[in-house]
Amino acid sequence: MKKPFVAGNWKMNTDSNSSVELGKCIASASLEAAGHDVTVAVCPPFVYLQAVARALSASSVAVGAQDIYYEPKGAFTGEISASMLKDIGCTYCLCGHSERRHVIGETDELINKKVAAGIGGGLLPILCVGELRAEREASQTNEVVTRQMKNGLAGLSAEKVSAVTIAYEPVWAIGTGLTATPQQAQEVHDFIRKLLGQMYDGRLAEEIRILYGGSVKPDNAADLMGQRDIDGALVGGASLKADDFLAIIQAAV
Ligand code: 13P
């Protein structure tokens, strides 16, 4: 049985005090009770990562970055490498979040380099995939997800890919209050798992955790995570409220 995984993506929110406070509230007694049965991570903005990582170092809550750059070091103004993230206590890194794809303009090729660099640097990448509303309406969901998965994982061996978590985040459900129904989400998760089986092998496909993201809240988390192929959640807005995030973690157990 896979351990469920709940990660909070704080996006461009919090400040130096509230980030550490939020981290500490999440690493509370109620989480410690659930901490053996569920993997929990938070992804603060880069500037607060080290402070949050320090505050959580004795807890079961891991810390992830919202992005990385693929070069190890050098003249890349404004960028952050995998080794820097590792150095300050990061475990995970998001790669290809829809806001980076569609607001910043990241390509599958760039995202693939980031996933590879994350694994190479000892991080555990969370590769985000998902279709736009127009793509769903044009029945292109499977095609889009296939392209993002194949390009995002291009050139990586099964062994390397075993370090990756997939997050299915339909773009039309992110920050909109619209959630994919558990059935809609399960359909795509099942598709992604079968795709991984074709790309690698059935064992790897079963072992990889596939998270759902897109307006996950305390009141829909249990139904979503109760689906066969939904192994956890990548939570945006609701991860900024400790009580809501803890309720979602409890729903995963
Ligand atoms: P919301 O939960 O705010 O919809 O955001 C989802 C998300 O983008 C997590 O990465």
Side-chain angles (χ1 to χ4, degrees):
M1 190 57 189
K2 278 178 297 238
K3 215 184 199 191
F5 182 10
V6 177
N9 175 7
W10 295 357
K11 308 193 179 186
M12 200 168 74
N13 293 297
T14 70
D15 59 26
S16 56
N17 289 323
S18 63
S19 57
V20 171
E21 273 316 300
L22 179 57
K24 283 185 181 162
C25 283
I26 290 164
S28 66
S30 62
L31 174 68
E32 291 315 314
H36 301 289
D37 304 317
V38 51
T39 306
V40 178
V42 294
C43 302
F46 276 132
V47 285
Y48 308 132
L49 264 175
Q50 186 166 19
V52 174
R54 278 198 185 129
L56 297 182
S57 61
S59 82
S60 60
V61 181
V63 171
Q66 296 176 17
D67 186 28
I68 62 167
Y69 194 58
Y70 62 86
E71 292 287 356
K73 63 176 180 166
F76 304 101
T77 302
E79 297 296 342
I80 307 287
S81 71
S83 61
M84 291 172 176
L85 294 170
K86 192 80 189 152
D87 179 40
I88 58 142
C90 254
T91 305
Y92 296 93
C93 59
L94 302 183
C95 294
H97 187 275
S98 80
E99 285 140 24
R100 298 214 60 85
R101 290 179 188 269
H102 299 295
V103 181
I104 316 284
E106 289 194 5
T107 62
D108 279 331
E109 190 191 13
L110 176 62
I111 294 161
N112 175 236
K113 288 182 179 169
K114 292 184 173 191
V115 174
I119 299 167
L123 297 171
L124 303 173
I126 301 173
L127 172 63
C128 305
V129 299
E131 81 287 0
L132 298 163
R133 179 196 278 269
E135 291 166 337
R136 174 162 282 263
E137 285 170 357
S139 303
Q140 291 169 344
T141 299
N142 291 354
E143 191 185 316
V144 169
V145 165
T146 301
R147 189 191 68 229
Q148 293 173 336
M149 288 286 296
K150 288 198 168 165
N151 292 342
L153 299 175
L156 295 170
S157 64
E159 192 195 343
K160 290 203 163 146
V161 170
S162 66
V164 175
T165 298
I166 305 296
Y168 169 59
E169 300 204 306
V171 183
W172 49 272
I174 295 178
T176 58
L178 291 173
T179 318
T181 63
Q183 291 70 28
Q184 281 175 321
Q186 165 58 25
E187 256 175 44
V188 183
H189 281 235
D190 171 61
F191 177 79
I192 292 172
R193 202 175 302 285
K194 289 190 173 126
L195 181 64
L196 283 165
Q198 289 161 22
M199 290 166 65
Y200 299 97
D201 58 70
R203 202 176 63 114
L204 182 83
E206 269 311 311
E207 281 172 4
I208 283 196
R209 290 187 288 195
I210 308 175
L211 315 183
Y212 170 79
S215 300
V216 177
K217 309 282 178 213
D219 62 0
N220 61 20
D223 279 350
L224 285 160
M225 290 189 280
Q227 301 297 308
R228 187 202 176 276
D229 291 294
I230 302 184
D231 306 314
L234 180 54
V235 186
S239 72
L240 293 167
K241 295 185 199 124
D243 287 350
D244 284 1
F245 192 57
L246 286 166
I248 293 169
I249 293 164
Q250 292 296 345
V253 179

